[in-house]
Amino acid sequence: QVQLVESGGGLVQAGGSLRLSCAASGRTFINYGWFRQAPGKEREFVAAISWSGSTIVYAESVKGRFTISRDNAKNTRYLQMNSLVPEDTAVYYCNAAGFFRRQGIYTAGDYWGQGTQVTVSS
């Protein structure tokens, strides 16, 4: 069975950093992305990356602060989050098998992890 497992979430003060990981098993996908959902808000796109890393897309709200990367040998994806602010508080989800489109758009694929909680305090 295909599984995506996120880890690395936790509680951090504003201005701090966290690195999220997404480990995949059962299947290998070309494209991966990260999404997040805060309490009372809609799920939103965060970042996405292609197999080679040649295509990377970020949401405007995280540009310059977050970095997405992957280690194909480990079948693992990462999201390095720096300069965190309370507005970044959310459950972060790993996504696989999405599509890249023009103008920095990544359409989510059908595979999702269970999510990892990120809480940023003031």
Side-chain angles (χ1 to χ4, degrees), residues 27-104:
R27 190 180 301 180
T28 299
F29 300 98
I30 296 177
N31 302 321
Y32 288 85
W34 289 93
F35 290 76
R36 67 186 182 185
Q37 186 167 22
K41 296 184 178 181
E42 299 293 326
R43 183 183 65 187
E44 65 176 348
F45 169 75
V46 177
I49 188 170
S50 63
W51 175 266
S52 66
S54 61
T55 300
I56 296 176
V57 179
Y58 294 103
E60 189 66 29
S61 61
V62 305
K63 284 184 178 178
R65 299 190 298 120
F66 291 11
T67 302
I68 188 172
S69 62
R70 64 190 297 170
D71 186 336
N72 292 336
K74 297 181 179 180
N75 201 13
T76 302
R77 275 55 53 181
Y78 305 96
L79 183 68
Q80 178 67 46
M81 305 185 294
N82 299 326
S83 301
L84 286 163
V85 295
E87 290 74 18
D88 294 319
T89 295
V91 176
Y92 285 70
Y93 297 92
C94 183
N95 174 263
F99 296 89
F100 289 97
R101 305 182 187 278
R102 295 185 182 276
Q103 299 181 336

Side-chain angles (χ1 to χ4, degrees), residues 6-13 16-21 81 84-85 88-92 115-121:
E6 302 95 335
S7 62
L11 175 64
V12 64
Q13 293 185 341
S17 299
L18 287 172
R19 189 179 78 158
L20 306 184
S21 298
M81 305 185 294
L84 286 163
V85 295
D88 294 319
T89 295
V91 176
Y92 285 70
T116 184
Q117 177 70 49
V118 172
T119 302
V120 184
S121 62

